[in-house]
Amino acid sequence: MEQQEVEIDDSLYSRQRYVLGDSAMKQMANSSILIYGMGGLGIEIAKNIVLAGVKSVTIQDGQPAVIQDLGTQFFLREEDVGKNRAEASSTRLSELNPYVSLTAMTTSLDSSADLGYLTNFQCVILTEVSMDVQIRVNNFCREQTPQIKFISADVFGVCCGTFCDFGDRFEIMDADGEEPKEILIEKISKGNPGVVMCFKNKIHGFESGDHVTFKEINGMTALNGHTCQIKVTSPYSFEICDTSGHEFAPYEHGGIAKQVKVSKMASFKSLEEEIRNPSLLVPDLCKYEAPANLHLGFLALHKFYEKYHRYPNVWCVEDANDFISIAKTLNTQLTNQVTAVDDGILRVLSYTSTGCLAPLCAVLGGFVAQEGIKAITGKFTPLHQWLYLDCREVINKEEAATPDIFTKRGDRYDALRICLGQRKCERLAQLRLFMVGCGAIGCEMLKNYALLGVGQGPKGCITITDNDLIEKSNLNRQFLFRPADIQKPKSTTAAEAVLQINAELNIKAQQHKVCPQTEDKVYNDAFFESQNLVVNALDNVEARRYVDSRCVTNQRALLESGTQGTKGHVQVIVPHMTESYSSQNDPSDESVPYCTLKSFPANIEHCIQWGRDKFESSFCVKPDLFNKFWKLNKDAIPVIQRLKDGQSIDGAVQVSKMVANRSATWCQCVELARLKFQKYFNHKARNLLHIFPMDTKMPDGSLFWQSPKRPPVPQEFDLQNAVHFLFVVSAARLYAGVFNVRVTSGDTSFETIKSILQNMKIPEYRPTSKRIITDESVSKPADETTGSGDDLVDAANRLQSSLNETDVAQVLSCMNPVGFEKDDDTNGHIDFISAAANLRGAMYTIESIDRLKAKRIAGRIVPAIATTTATVSGLVTVELIKVMDSLPLDVYKNTFLNLALPIVLLSEPGPVEKTVIKEGLTVTMWDRWELHGTAEFTLQQFLQHFKDKYGFDVNMVSHGVKMVYVPFMPGHKKRLPQQMLKLLKPSPRLRYMDLIINLEGSDDEDIACPPVRYYFGVQ
């Protein structure tokens, strides 16, 4: 198909671009996909693909909507019952993305349908279609040139599955989507094969079979530009090609090995072949046999439907027995037979097959949509070829003995009722749930809650909070929001939108942060204790840890999740059973030495961080310091006199330089920016080479300028160079904003800038003796803000000179500090940082990067895509249903997934760590000791309580940062007869305080204890 050039709307797709890349984005914008079946699964797939930005999406369905559809299909309303499902969904679906052309077809896809229209699509996705039609369509797709990619998927009750066939030869352009790895080289041996050792034994992260290319090698220069396949020999070394020949001179120093992404071919078998001998992904090693049994069960369901023109009746034992018999007969016909047919799995599948658990639609809908994107772009590794999942643990075993509670009642919850039973539906309705965050995961969660009817009962309620406003970049993933909602609060807008899905919900939307500042009056202990369950939908670790600590304190279950690009995680946190979120620490990012950022950058990331630091210092920190200085020191004349008298004033030296450099006109702003160019990219380089000439050697005789240190190259200003021009214009614009200088569109034109700079005198370079730090262990020195001696006199003279030359009121007027904003492409923030980073990169002979990558790194943007979010939210909601039943630990499932590979790993949550204080006394992080005092209760009685109950003396009592009692501290023993009320001084109406105590064990060892909730015993 002929591709049209497409311009990507970065304001909408910025987070997704970092996941897929521009090449894949442009391929999607030239592709067409068909999705058949607009039930719960089909609409999930369609929603995610439309959000992704595929050019043309056709939804097809021959079925009218029924009331049961409202429990799984979030784009159908009560007034749509009786209408064609595709037609009724199309308007709401098309609102998700203005760049997608959406078409609805109302014809059925059956064994007699003409399949010719399928040639209009690059990928066909089928749901709710019989097996014989699936095989017919798959064969048709394989017969075309080029072959049409085929996916089929279904959710039956509490089980789901999907199949992919991308043809005989499918090219995978990028298997994992990861940034190519790059490592510094310590040594390369001469030999067959040669062996590369990593610099300072850094882990390379390569795998055998990877391809790497080399650059900047000294000595063995023949390897520069050469690409070879490697074999890993250790985490710090790998074998390459034969380096024993004469053309490979001995290695001297330096060099970088960089991974090269190489496309590869994958081959798929047809559905007809794979049915008999399936290639199965195993997501849960604790249920290793489940995928094979589910595959057999799905085949048996289709065979049952073929035989009776219906699926097994709801919780019907007779139908289930017939179904199991069909399955066992089919098993004998498989090439790879199921060795241990699990009647239990098959029975659950039969009982619930006419139902549909909405969260499974979200799980599979996200997964399948990502496979559809792979099909048309070649980005990431496709599923090969089957995935099955089940969550039969959501069915209460006791309630399963009463089949009547699973029967239909003719309402929107029938699909759910068939899976869970009426009693659990009622418990969901009475659930009190608190969700923190209404972003991408939050929107998906709310949709799941609405379909399940969470909190819609008289005692139930969903409380949500988010203090953010909606931005355009949110619309690509946060599907409850529309363009008209931009700059509205996320929480209230999400609440209004989700009520369109289910008007019966009781939902409270708030805009508070959950943090220590709201702990006393808003999200206090009483609030948390009133909730049955807490769900995190947050995007930062600090907030996650805080909510986690509040849940531990108040002994409430927490469902934690997150995504990064195609990766996602789910963690189930259950009081007294599992570890908490804070029990495990993510590995901290390796800090970059100060000297590296300041003087010796080794890669473009160092240059971007330098550019971001310059932005903060020049346009935010210094203007803020300027304003605070003159707010404190209102008159300049006394300041000048004090400086001349040798009195140091905090910030005066820096402020005097800012006064001297302050621009009053656009021309002055441009000239200041030009001077900064000369200082940063020319004079700094010259000074480094002045202090450390190219032949400088280290004490051991090795060269100073060798990898990872790069010798700088002074940059000569060239207005014709686009990066030079961008730096000057963006810096001048930012200075103009700080200095309150008006800028017009004509001011930033090339001709205007040229006319300003053409006669400008640039100061000559003068060597300085300023000390340059080279020790990587030395931290950044504290800024010197006072000065002394000549510095003070110079500062006074600068201030005096500036006041003599310009209007005092103007030069001392408030500046406008600039807050960094990454998503406004008109403000010049990213322009400045990307230009500064690339200029610094050029100065150190580091490859330049595009603006998009600079924006991601400088803005610390987390890549995101709707498919991962949908899958993660579905998995979380499945665990929510389990948590209501207080099940054993091994039933809950934490998940790690990477849709790029694809990997889905379900595992048992980590058990809570137990601490033995003494024989017979074991505690965990979830425990809390309680002590009920009285108005007269003394500290001595408090301590005696623990001595009597546990047999240990208390050697510390604290509340927050306040030390209430530490025996060896002066005066603390005199507190023993004092009342606890007097010591703790609680605010009015405070019923208790949580105290921390330590017990004194044998050998004077401190024993950490659970927090003690001390009740004052007063009203």
Side-chain angles (χ1 to χ4, degrees):
M1 184 179 70
E2 185 179 343
Q3 298 228 342
Q4 298 178 356
E5 188 59 34
V6 175
E7 185 174 342
I8 299 169
D9 184 349
D10 187 64
S11 61
L12 177 65
Y13 290 121
S14 62
R15 305 317 189 252
Q16 182 176 288
R17 286 178 84 176
Y18 296 123
V19 181
L20 298 178
D22 283 5
S23 176
M25 291 284 293
K26 290 176 180 178
Q27 282 180 287
M28 284 198 300
N30 280 287
S31 300
S32 299
I33 289 181
L34 170 74
I35 305 160
Y36 184 88
M38 283 297 105
L41 177 58
I43 200 67
E44 276 283 357
I45 298 167
K47 176 255 294 179
N48 295 323
I49 285 177
V50 169
L51 287 171
V54 173
K55 177 185 178 182
S56 174
V57 176
T58 298
I59 56 174
Q60 182 181 356
D61 195 321
Q63 296 297 315
V66 295
I67 192 70
Q68 181 173 315
D69 286 326
L70 302 185
T72 57
Q73 220 277 30
F74 48 82
F75 278 159
L76 290 177
R77 307 289 178 258
E78 286 190 16
E79 60 268 24
D80 295 325
V81 172
K83 297 178 184 177
N84 178 273
R85 293 193 299 182
E87 209 165 44
S89 307
S90 61
T91 301
R92 296 180 187 97
L93 196 55
S94 64
E95 290 173 352
L96 293 176
N97 195 330
Y99 295 104
V100 175
S101 172
L102 190 92
T103 305
M105 292 178 61
T106 59
T107 53
S108 293
L109 185 58
D110 53 33
S111 56
S112 62
D114 181 358
L115 302 183
Y117 72 102
L118 298 181
T119 57
N120 295 317
F121 307 101
Q122 285 76 55
C123 178
V124 170
I125 303 174
L126 303 184
T127 68
E128 302 183 22
V129 173
S130 64
M131 183 56 72
D132 63 325
V133 173
Q134 289 183 41
I135 292 172
R136 181 169 178 253
V137 171
N138 178 238
N139 289 338
F140 178 86
C141 291
R142 293 182 68 85
E143 290 165 1
Q144 308 310 305
T145 305
Q147 292 176 320
I148 302 169
K149 284 65 176 181
F150 173 88
I151 303 172
S152 63
D154 275 304
V155 176
F156 290 114
V158 294
C159 307
C160 66
T162 186
F163 167 80
C164 292
D165 173 14
F166 292 176
D168 296 323
R169 285 182 58 79
F170 179 77
E171 186 174 12
I172 302 169
M173 305 304 297
D174 182 354
D176 57 15
E178 300 292 337
E179 286 284 325
K181 300 177 182 71
E182 191 174 278
I183 58 104
L184 297 173
I185 295 170
E186 177 82 32
K187 182 182 177 183
I188 306 174
S189 68
K190 276 184 71 69
N192 186 13
V195 177
V196 178
M197 298 295 298
C198 298
F199 184 73
K200 290 186 176 179
N201 273 347
K202 297 277 186 177
I203 295 174
H204 51 67
F206 296 144
E207 295 179 3
S208 293
D210 282 351
H211 290 75
V212 299
T213 188
F214 300 93
K215 61 181 179 180
E216 301 179 21
I217 294 172
N218 290 279
M220 199 178 285
T221 55
L223 277 178
N224 288 328
H226 185 68
T227 299
C228 47
Q229 196 169 16
I230 67 168
K231 179 182 178 182
V232 172
T233 53
S234 82
Y236 323 104
S237 63
F238 53 89
E239 294 177 349
I240 54 172
C241 58
D242 181 357
T243 58
S244 61
H246 67 276
E247 69 271 26
F248 292 99
Y251 172 83
E252 294 175 5
H253 65 83
I256 294 172
K258 184 175 182 179
Q259 184 183 26
V260 177
K261 290 296 185 82
V262 178
S263 67
K264 58 183 181 181
M265 304 302 297
S267 178
F268 293 78
K269 294 179 182 178
S270 70
L271 176 59
E272 208 163 11
E273 291 179 89
E274 275 284 318
I275 281 173
R276 294 180 176 82
N277 190 15
S279 306
L280 298 166
L281 188 67
V282 180
D284 187 350
L285 295 179
C286 295
K287 296 160 71 172
Y288 190 79
E289 298 298 330
N293 275 278
L294 287 169
H295 178 74
L296 180 61
F298 272 50
L299 296 180
L301 273 181
H302 287 292
K303 187 62 70 173
F304 189 101
Y305 189 90
E306 184 183 317
K307 182 177 180 180
Y308 297 109
H309 305 291
R310 64 173 177 85
Y311 290 113
N313 285 320
V314 177
W315 287 77
C316 175
V317 175
E318 184 181 345
D319 277 1
N321 291 336
D322 191 5
F323 168 76
I324 293 170
S325 176
I326 291 172
K328 290 180 176 178
T329 301
L330 281 174
N331 191 40
T332 64
Q333 301 169 16
L334 299 182
T335 304
N336 188 8
Q337 295 182 14
V338 179
T339 53
V341 175
D342 188 332
D343 287 11
I345 293 179
L346 297 178
R347 195 167 294 279
V348 167
L349 182 56
S350 174
Y351 286 164
T352 65
S353 62
T354 57
C356 181
L357 193 66
L360 279 187
C361 294
V363 173
L364 197 62
F367 187 97
V368 170
Q370 189 66 61
E371 295 303 306
I373 293 169
K374 294 175 188 178
I376 58 177
T377 64
K379 183 77 173 187
F380 308 137
T381 303
L383 171 68
H384 205 276
Q385 292 187 249
W386 300 88
L387 170 70
Y388 288 102
L389 288 167
D390 78 276
C391 58
R392 56 190 186 277
E393 298 85 1
V394 298
I395 300 171
N396 188 297
K397 291 182 179 179
E398 294 178 4
E399 294 178 1
T402 315
D404 288 350
I405 67 171
F406 295 89
T407 56
K408 294 184 178 184
R409 298 193 174 191
D411 63 20
R412 65 184 301 140
Y413 301 112
D414 273 349
L416 176 67
R417 188 176 291 110
I418 291 168
C419 298
L420 303 183
Q422 177 61 19
R423 289 175 197 158
K424 189 168 278 191
C425 289
E426 291 171 357
R427 290 170 62 200
L428 283 167
Q430 304 303 336
L431 197 66
R432 296 185 63 82
L433 182 148
F434 179 42
M435 186 174 77
V436 189
C438 297
I441 290 179
C443 285
E444 292 286 342
M445 296 282 199
L446 282 173
K447 173 257 298 175
N448 294 338
Y449 304 156
L451 296 174
L452 294 178
V454 171
Q456 52 95 6
K459 295 181 181 178
C461 183
I462 301 171
T463 303
I464 59 174
T465 188
D466 194 313
N467 67 323
D468 276 353
L469 302 180
I470 298 163
E471 299 173 357
K472 186 177 180 181
S473 63
N474 300 147
L475 305 183
N476 176 238
R477 305 170 317 286
Q478 301 171 22
F479 88 104
L480 294 180
F481 306 143
R482 301 291 179 268
D485 298 325
I486 291 172
Q487 289 305 301
K488 292 181 181 178
K490 286 186 176 181
S491 59
T492 54
T493 307
E496 291 171 9
V498 84
L499 286 171
Q500 298 295 313
I501 299 174
N502 187 346
E504 298 174 356
L505 294 185
N506 297 319
I507 186 165
K508 291 180 182 177
Q510 301 172 347
Q511 296 173 57
H512 307 296
K513 287 186 75 172
V514 183
C515 60
Q517 289 72 30
T518 57
E519 188 171 314
D520 290 337
K521 294 185 178 179
V522 186
Y523 303 119
N524 52 24
D525 290 344
F527 172 82
F528 274 90
E529 288 170 357
S530 70
Q531 305 300 312
N532 303 119
L533 182 66
V534 179
V535 178
N536 267 351
L538 291 161
D539 60 0
N540 71 88
V541 171
E542 183 182 354
R544 286 179 167 125
R545 289 190 184 281
Y546 177 75
V547 175
D548 177 66
S549 70
R550 299 293 290 134
C551 289
V552 170
T553 297
N554 294 285
Q555 302 180 348
R556 288 295 177 266
L558 172 66
L559 296 176
E560 164 59 37
S561 62
T563 69
Q564 181 176 2
T566 58
K567 298 171 187 152
H569 78 271
V570 176
Q571 184 180 1
V572 187
I573 299 161
V574 181
H576 307 291
M577 185 180 295
T578 72
E579 62 185 9
S580 77
Y581 176 78
S582 302
S583 299
Q584 301 290 333
N585 290 319
D586 291 332
S588 56
D589 293 332
E590 190 174 342
S591 60
V592 180
Y594 168 71
C595 66
T596 300
L597 289 177
K598 180 72 174 173
S599 305
F600 308 109
N603 55 48
I604 197 65
E605 285 79 9
H606 297 158
C607 299
I608 292 171
Q609 185 58 54
W610 177 88
R612 174 71 191 268
D613 291 346
K614 281 293 175 213
F615 178 95
E616 293 291 339
S617 171
S618 302
F619 310 120
C620 181
V621 175
K622 288 180 180 177
D624 190 51
L625 171 66
F626 180 94
N627 292 343
K628 288 177 179 176
F629 182 88
W630 293 117
K631 186 176 182 181
L632 188 65
N633 306 280
K634 301 184 184 304
D635 191 349
I637 302 303
V639 170
I640 293 171
Q641 191 58 52
R642 287 169 61 191
L643 291 171
K644 287 182 176 179
D645 291 344
Q647 295 182 40
S648 62
I649 306 174
D650 193 29
V653 174
Q654 270 195 324
V655 167
S656 70
K657 293 177 182 178
M658 295 172 70
V659 169
N661 286 330
R662 182 160 189 170
S663 305
T665 66
W666 171 245
C667 289
Q668 291 173 334
C669 291
V670 174
E671 289 172 348
L672 178 59
R674 173 65 182 87
L675 290 174
K676 293 298 182 183
F677 178 100
Q678 201 69 12
K679 176 184 176 181
Y680 296 153
F681 310 117
N682 185 285
H683 291 181
K684 289 279 188 183
R686 291 189 182 191
N687 209 54
L688 265 174
L689 294 173
H690 168 74
I691 296 171
F692 302 110
M694 289 297 293
D695 57 357
T696 302
K697 293 191 175 181
M698 303 291 284
D700 64 359
S702 62
L703 286 171
F704 178 85
W705 292 111
Q706 65 171 314
S707 181
K709 287 188 177 72
R710 296 166 171 270
V713 178
Q715 300 297 292
E716 299 298 334
F717 183 75
D718 178 5
L719 194 60
Q720 300 291 335
N721 185 306
V723 179
H724 296 201
F725 178 77
L726 181 62
F727 176 83
V728 168
V729 170
S730 59
R733 282 184 61 203
L734 287 164
Y735 279 124
V738 169
F739 299 148
N740 300 297
V741 175
R742 183 173 174 272
V743 183
T744 67
S745 57
D747 288 338
T748 58
S749 70
F750 179 84
E751 292 302 323
T752 302
I753 302 299
K754 181 181 178 181
S755 66
I756 294 171
L757 296 181
Q758 60 187 358
N759 296 319
M760 181 182 173
K761 187 175 180 181
I762 305 300
E764 292 292 323
Y765 162 69
R766 293 181 181 178
T768 70
S769 56
K770 188 174 181 181
R771 176 173 171 257
I772 294 175
I773 296 172
T774 59
D775 186 346
E776 292 187 358
S777 64
V778 174
S779 301
K780 180 180 180 180
D783 290 333
E784 176 60 58
T785 59
T786 54
S788 61
D790 292 343
D791 291 338
L792 302 180
V793 175
D794 289 344
N797 291 335
R798 276 192 295 268
L799 286 172
Q800 188 68 64
S801 175
S802 299
L803 296 180
N804 291 340
E805 292 176 5
T806 55
D807 177 56
V808 175
Q810 190 276 327
V811 82
L812 299 185
S813 63
C814 277
M815 294 186 179
N816 293 322
V818 177
F820 177 65
E821 172 49 59
K822 60 185 177 292
D823 284 321
D824 180 359
D825 288 339
T826 65
N827 62 17
H829 297 189
I830 295 298
D831 290 337
F832 172 83
I833 293 171
S834 63
N838 279 326
L839 281 167
R840 190 165 173 83
M843 181 170 128
Y844 285 97
T845 326
I846 296 171
E847 287 182 22
S848 64
I849 58 164
D850 60 29
R851 186 182 184 280
L852 191 67
K853 185 173 181 180
K855 177 178 175 179
R856 176 178 65 80
I857 298 171
R860 300 180 180 92
I861 293 173
V862 178
I865 190 168
T867 51
T868 315
T869 307
T871 299
V872 164
S873 75
L875 289 164
V876 171
T877 311
V878 168
E879 298 308 309
L880 179 154
I881 298 170
K882 295 180 190 176
V883 166
M884 293 195 307
D885 275 343
S886 302
L887 299 168
L889 180 66
D890 61 354
V891 172
Y892 299 111
K893 296 296 176 184
N894 286 354
T895 305
F896 168 77
L897 60 87
N898 187 344
L899 298 185
L901 297 178
I903 288 175
V904 182
L905 295 175
L906 286 76
S907 60
E908 181 182 307
V912 66
E913 184 178 342
K914 297 180 180 179
T915 302
V916 178
I917 292 181
K918 66 176 185 178
E919 188 176 349
L921 180 58
T922 302
V923 297
T924 74
M925 60 178 294
W926 291 101
D927 287 317
R928 182 177 71 209
W929 290 347
E930 294 186 354
L931 175 55
H932 293 263
T934 64
E936 305 302 321
F937 207 73
T938 65
L939 175 59
Q940 181 68 61
Q941 290 174 293
F942 179 89
L943 303 179
Q944 191 63 40
H945 167 83
F946 295 100
K947 177 71 171 177
D948 295 342
K949 187 165 185 177
Y950 302 112
F952 294 103
D953 289 320
V954 176
N955 62 11
M956 187 202 75
V957 181
S958 65
H959 176 248
V961 295
K962 179 183 177 182
M963 303 306 292
V964 179
Y965 175 70
V966 181
F968 60 80
M969 289 185 71
H972 274 221
K973 288 195 174 181
K974 293 180 180 179
R975 297 179 176 181
L976 290 173
Q978 294 184 31
Q979 297 167 354
M980 291 292 285
L981 273 173
K982 182 179 177 181
L983 287 171
L984 296 174
K985 298 181 175 63
S987 58
R989 296 189 298 276
L990 193 66
R991 295 170 44 243
Y992 59 81
M993 277 186 179
D994 287 334
L995 306 176
I996 300 298
I997 70 169
N998 272 1
L999 302 180
E1000 187 175 318
S1002 57
D1003 302 324
D1004 295 329
E1005 180 187 359
D1006 286 348
I1007 302 173
C1009 304
V1012 175
R1013 179 157 290 185
Y1014 176 71
Y1015 290 86
F1016 302 112
V1018 294
Q1019 297 298 322

